[in-house]
Amino acid sequence: MRTIQFREAVCEAMSEEMRQDEAVYLMGEEVAEYNGAYKASKGMLDEFGPERVIDTPISEAGFSGIGVGSTLVGTRPIVEFMTFNFSLVGIDQIINNAAKIRQMSGGQFNCPIVFRGPTASAGQLGATHSQAFESWYANCPGLKVIVPSNPYDAKGLLKSAIRDEDPVIFMESEQMYGDKGEVPEEEYTIPIGKADIKREGEDVTIVSFGKIIKEAYAAAEKLEEEGISCEIIDLRTVRPLDYETVIASVKKTNRLVILEEAWPFGNVSTELSYQVQEQAFDFLDAPILKINTADTPAPYSPVLLKEWLPNSEDVVKAVKKVMYK
């Protein structure tokens, strides 16, 4: 194992897959000459050249459509959005074309494409650059949605996403690109749709994904000092969602808290809550609690933003509530 940054794990995954398959290429704003807006494609232009690492105009609808169309002639594009907030400009290509091609062609065509970039908030970026889109895309049949929380998972899951025969939404965070973690020297992949138990526990299950899971880790450390044992599950993939791992944990702990950086109405934690109560109702010793952002656009003010975002104290309070303490 060596320790590398999240951005390096992303770069390694893309580069390794491009070396193995000439059909894979990278396209997006500033991915080439600038080495990526977040330096996640550093050195790739030098290695693969301008035909496979392509700088685009600021036209998400245009280059998303080019990427989708190119899959029909045998390529496997990686389309980078500088932020998934900008994917709204190209969302017609993702929802109405990429996600529908296999069905609407009667199975004659598939669409092996990865749309990747950062999601959710990243400090004082304002309301239009601080939105979480995981549940938006997960709601659409035909798309797979991956939201890793560390370099190891990012590399293994991105390699699987690039090899997948269907469109994959791969969501990162500006605030994670500098995060460091252990990643093997040898090649590996992680299967899409498999959650990971990051911390074993007995008293309560905490489910999360993406960068916000760090608040769950911090809360678990505090709660351990008070004698409360938390099991933490990182979903890693929200479509398909690994219900089996979550339900097995709930059957052990009998309590569930879900932490998600998203608006509270109709999100991933809402769906997970429904599935758990339907499949494991008799095992629950307390109502399921979900922790989300405030039900407003993200504020710019740092004081308000701190209140808007879920934090470890929110998790501690929720755990104590389901423990009746």
Side-chain angles (χ1 to χ4, degrees):
M1 289 279 196
R2 71 257 150 80
T3 299
I4 63 173
Q5 292 184 336
F6 192 104
R7 59 168 58 88
E8 293 174 302
V10 169
C11 186
E12 284 188 2
M14 294 190 293
S15 297
E16 288 175 12
E17 294 306 304
M18 287 176 69
R19 292 179 196 123
Q20 292 182 24
D21 187 347
E22 291 188 356
V24 180
Y25 71 92
L26 173 65
M27 176 170 57
E29 296 158 4
E30 299 185 346
V31 299
E33 296 288 347
Y34 193 65
N35 286 312
Y38 313 104
K39 299 300 179 278
S41 52
K42 186 176 181 179
M44 291 181 65
L45 174 63
D46 293 339
E47 179 174 356
F48 300 106
E51 291 187 356
R52 296 184 67 196
V53 181
I54 305 167
D55 276 331
T56 67
I58 302 174
S59 177
E60 285 79 8
F63 63 77
S64 295
I66 290 170
V68 172
S70 75
T71 67
L72 302 181
V73 292
T75 69
R76 309 181 75 88
I78 305 165
V79 174
E80 179 181 309
F81 296 119
M82 195 174 294
T83 161
F84 264 95
N85 295 280
F86 301 158
S87 75
L88 297 186
V89 184
I91 198 169
D92 179 60
Q93 297 295 335
I94 301 170
I95 300 297
N96 282 331
N97 289 326
K100 308 289 194 295
I101 283 173
R102 183 185 286 275
Q103 185 194 46
M104 295 187 73
S105 69
Q108 296 179 81
F109 295 100
N110 57 305
C111 186
I113 188 171
V114 175
F115 297 97
R116 53 158 292 269
T119 184
S121 66
Q124 292 178 263
L125 297 181
T128 60
H129 288 193
S130 302
Q131 302 168 109
F133 293 102
E134 297 91 314
S135 61
W136 290 41
Y137 287 111
N139 184 255
C140 180
L143 299 177
K144 296 173 183 175
V145 181
I146 299 171
V147 195
S149 66
N150 60 79
Y152 176 85
D153 289 346
K155 181 176 180 180
L157 284 164
L158 183 51
K159 287 173 69 70
S160 294
I162 295 168
R163 297 180 188 185
D164 201 272
E165 295 301 324
D166 291 303
V168 178
I169 307 294
F170 193 91
M171 294 180 154
E172 303 152 13
S173 168
E174 292 101 326
Q175 292 181 324
M176 287 199 300
Y177 286 118
D179 288 359
K180 295 181 179 180
E182 291 188 339
V183 175
E185 294 274 4
E186 64 273 11
E187 184 179 54
Y188 70 97
T189 59
I190 295 173
I192 296 172
K194 183 63 180 174
D196 188 32
I197 299 174
K198 299 295 189 184
R199 179 187 178 116
E200 299 276 353
E202 301 294 331
D203 297 325
V204 59
T205 300
I206 303 173
V207 175
S208 190
F209 57 90
K211 79 172 191 295
I212 202 70
I213 199 172
K214 295 175 184 178
E215 301 299 323
Y217 295 144
E221 292 294 330
K222 295 177 184 177
L223 289 162
E224 187 175 35
E225 295 173 1
E226 300 180 34
I228 299 174
S229 173
C230 300
E231 181 148 295
I232 299 179
I233 297 176
D234 186 343
L235 291 177
R236 304 194 294 193
T237 303
V238 298
R239 181 77 179 245
L241 204 155
D242 184 0
Y243 298 113
E244 291 182 2
T245 296
V246 175
I247 289 168
S249 177
V250 170
K251 287 181 177 180
K252 178 178 70 172
T253 66
N254 310 117
R255 294 170 176 86
L256 176 61
V257 172
I258 309 170
L259 172 64
E260 177 187 7
E261 183 182 342
W263 292 313
F265 188 90
N267 52 36
V268 174
S269 50
T270 304
E271 172 64 17
L272 185 56
S273 297
Y274 170 77
Q275 293 293 340
V276 171
Q277 67 82 29
E278 182 186 43
Q279 300 183 49
F281 181 82
D282 291 339
F283 292 89
L284 290 169
D285 287 343
I288 300 167
L289 290 186
K290 65 189 191 82
I291 306 165
N292 301 125
T293 67
D295 196 15
T296 69
Y300 177 76
S301 159
V303 176
L304 293 177
L305 184 63
K306 184 178 179 181
E307 292 298 314
W308 183 83
L309 276 169
N311 58 47
S312 61
E313 287 302 316
D314 296 327
V315 180
V316 169
K317 290 175 184 176
V319 168
K320 288 184 176 180
K321 187 172 182 178
V322 299
M323 295 289 295
Y324 302 109
K325 292 190 175 184

